[in-house]
Amino acid sequence: MKAKDLLAIADEFGCPVYVYDANKIVSQYERLSSAFKNVPKLQINYAVKALSNISVLKLLKNLGSGLDTVSIQEVKLGLLAGFAPEQIIFTPNGVSLEEIEEASALGVQVNIDNLSFLEQFGSKYPHIPICVRINPHVMAGGNANISVGHIDSKFGISIHQIPHILRIVENTKMKINGIHIHTGSDILDIDVFLYAAEILFETAMHFKDLDFIDFGSGFKVPYKEGDIQTNIEEFGERLSARFLKFCKEYGKDLTLAFEPGKFLVSEAGFFLAKVNVVKQTTSTVFAGVDTGFNHLIRPMLYGATHQIENISNPEGRKRFYSVVGYICETDTFASNRQIAEISEGDILCFKNAGAYCHTMASNYNSRLRPAEVLWYNDKAHLIRKAETFDDLVKNQILLDVL
């Protein structure tokens, strides 16, 4: 998108505001599909947790995507967006058995990640095929909070517990139709991913009724100029060849599934904020904006980097600023970052704001959550209204006894 388009959106819908470029989502989806073009049965299931707006879900549905969901609410969002139940996989952790049963009753593919529920579900519903999430004990991911395949992770059933899974399957006569891993996010080392794949292939040979193998996702996207990213094309070529070889060994053409979230939507997102104040202190120049980590938590939570551009003065002289929010505690987006000269009232654009930004937003400090806009066919479409004060208080109850 061009700066003039973003400025027009800021003017029309106000700041702060999330903007998503549909063209980038489409190109990322096509890039991933192309990387695995040699695989006859490829299934891309978009990870709803990254960005759950139903208009974005519908866009991905029209591309041929399925959905990866982690809550019953995400399942229902997918159904509302028009997905058929069989296009949705439900991969929760730590939820109740009742939530898993509710999702299964809706007809979606259920993925179970603990022995207790596997046995209970298999005993009650042996006729319903189930996917099993395996923990390969492979450390991968760019941050401890998003590395989920290591030995101390809460996710998945340990590969060392395969005999327990087989015992449950034998006792309950349940059918395992898929196996799944997800090692973490921001994975760069293709060899680490392929090592985990070998573990999964070896595990798959224990199950004779598989329809698919799900490799999760975790592909790294660039967050700043010159940043490194997962080489999807090389990864696709290498894993495709190994997967096709495995299918011959297994004796059946299985579906190869992935669950990309960030890869599909992160770079499509822009977050626009207005500069409230430029504040010079004894050591720093702060640019204080009309938002905070209540709307974009990743820098404070993960130490994540988001490029910040002054789209009101793109040709201005570069100066050093610490960009901070209006939340009443440490609320820093960037420290001593070179940005084109900032004046009060300028619009700053935070890049890579498509994934884990709006979905992790909150009403902290009783602030309202912003609008979402989809840039589609060279036109801005409002896909979520900004919250109002009425939204903030509508579920609160003022006690008469006070």
Side-chain angles (χ1 to χ4, degrees):
M1 292 186 66
K2 297 178 180 178
K4 67 178 181 64
D5 300 319
L6 294 170
L7 287 169
I9 289 171
D11 183 61
E12 181 178 358
F13 298 103
C15 284
V17 61
Y18 302 93
V19 184
Y20 313 121
D21 183 355
N23 292 329
K24 185 63 176 178
I25 296 174
V26 171
S27 66
Q28 287 294 93
Y29 186 91
E30 292 176 345
R31 182 184 170 200
L32 184 58
S33 299
S34 178
F36 290 91
K37 61 182 181 296
N38 293 328
V39 176
K41 295 182 179 180
L42 175 69
Q43 180 60 52
I44 297 173
N45 295 319
Y46 167 67
V48 177
K49 62 182 177 289
L51 171 57
S52 59
N53 188 288
I54 56 175
S55 291
V56 173
L57 301 186
K58 187 175 181 180
L59 171 67
L60 285 155
K61 176 184 176 295
N62 292 342
L63 294 174
S65 177
L67 292 184
D68 162 53
T69 60
V70 297
S71 70
I72 191 64
Q73 291 80 11
E74 287 187 352
V75 170
K76 292 177 179 179
L77 283 173
L79 295 173
L80 184 62
F83 286 84
E86 58 268 22
Q87 294 175 296
I88 301 173
I89 185 168
F90 180 52
T91 307
N93 76 93
V95 305
S96 67
L97 182 61
E98 288 75 19
E99 183 168 335
I100 291 174
E101 290 175 319
E102 183 180 356
S104 181
L106 291 172
V108 306
Q109 171 72 60
V110 169
N111 188 10
I112 293 180
D113 84 330
N114 67 82
L115 293 172
S116 174
F117 283 3
L118 187 67
E119 182 171 358
Q120 292 180 66
F121 192 93
S123 297
K124 293 178 70 174
Y125 313 102
H127 60 287
I128 299 178
I130 289 296
C131 178
V132 176
R133 179 171 185 169
I134 303 296
N135 183 338
H137 299 323
V138 173
M139 185 73 178
N143 180 287
N145 291 348
I146 54 176
S147 181
V148 296
H150 55 85
I151 195 166
D152 292 322
S153 173
K154 69 173 182 172
F155 299 93
I157 301 173
S158 168
I159 54 169
H160 302 305
Q161 294 177 311
I162 298 300
H164 296 297
I165 299 175
L166 296 175
R167 176 180 56 81
I168 291 170
V169 171
E170 182 179 357
N171 289 343
T172 62
K173 308 304 179 189
M174 67 189 303
K175 178 183 176 182
I176 304 299
N177 70 335
I179 54 173
H180 167 281
I181 60 168
H182 179 60
T183 54
S185 297
D186 282 357
I187 297 170
L188 280 172
D189 192 337
I190 293 174
D191 289 325
V192 171
F193 203 108
L194 292 174
Y195 172 71
E198 289 299 328
I199 294 172
L200 199 58
F201 290 142
E202 182 178 341
T203 302
M205 297 304 289
H206 292 287
F207 303 94
K208 303 306 179 184
D209 296 314
L210 295 179
D211 296 319
F212 66 94
I213 296 181
D214 191 330
F215 285 91
S217 182
F219 312 127
K220 188 180 185 310
V221 297
Y223 273 90
K224 53 189 174 183
E225 287 186 20
D227 200 4
I228 48 180
Q229 58 182 302
T230 305
N231 187 330
I232 291 295
E233 289 70 27
E234 179 188 352
F235 175 63
E237 182 178 349
R238 292 176 63 184
L239 182 58
S240 293
R242 181 65 187 93
F243 179 75
L244 293 174
K245 181 182 177 183
F246 169 77
C247 287
K248 288 184 179 180
E249 296 168 355
Y250 188 78
K252 180 181 179 182
D253 286 334
L254 302 178
T255 295
L256 174 60
F258 290 101
E259 299 168 354
K262 184 188 298 183
F263 179 82
L264 293 180
V265 299
S266 178
E267 294 173 274
F270 304 88
F271 184 54
L272 308 181
K274 181 177 289 187
V275 177
N276 283 335
V277 62
V278 177
K279 180 179 180 179
Q280 172 81 58
T281 70
T282 54
S283 60
T284 303
V285 180
F286 290 103
V289 294
D290 64 347
T291 184
F293 69 70
N294 55 321
H295 297 153
L296 201 163
I297 198 173
R298 298 185 73 259
M300 291 299 297
L301 182 63
Y302 298 131
T305 298
H306 287 261
Q307 274 186 272
I308 304 173
E309 294 182 359
N310 183 358
I311 57 175
S312 296
N313 183 29
E315 304 303 321
R317 178 170 63 93
K318 298 274 187 173
R319 298 190 63 189
F320 287 92
Y321 297 91
S322 289
V323 181
V324 294
Y326 58 14
I327 291 300
C328 193
E329 61 179 271
T330 301
D331 185 13
T332 305
F333 294 114
S335 296
N336 292 318
R337 183 85 61 83
Q338 269 197 312
I339 303 171
E341 189 165 14
I342 297 173
S343 299
E344 292 167 4
D346 282 352
I347 305 298
L348 301 188
C349 175
F350 297 74
K351 294 189 173 182
N352 278 89
Y356 306 104
C357 294
H358 186 279
T359 55
M360 299 181 80
S362 74
N363 291 122
Y364 187 45
N365 282 192
S366 296
R367 295 291 185 176
L368 307 176
R369 281 175 288 202
E372 291 180 291
V373 173
L374 183 67
W375 182 255
Y376 181 71
N377 285 343
D378 296 322
K379 185 178 178 181
H381 301 266
L382 184 66
I383 58 174
R384 189 193 301 265
K385 296 178 182 178
E387 288 182 334
T388 66
F389 185 75
D390 287 342
D391 294 321
L392 188 68
V393 299
K394 66 181 179 182
N395 290 325
Q396 296 192 45
I397 300 172
L398 186 60
L399 290 181
D400 293 335
V401 296
L402 294 177

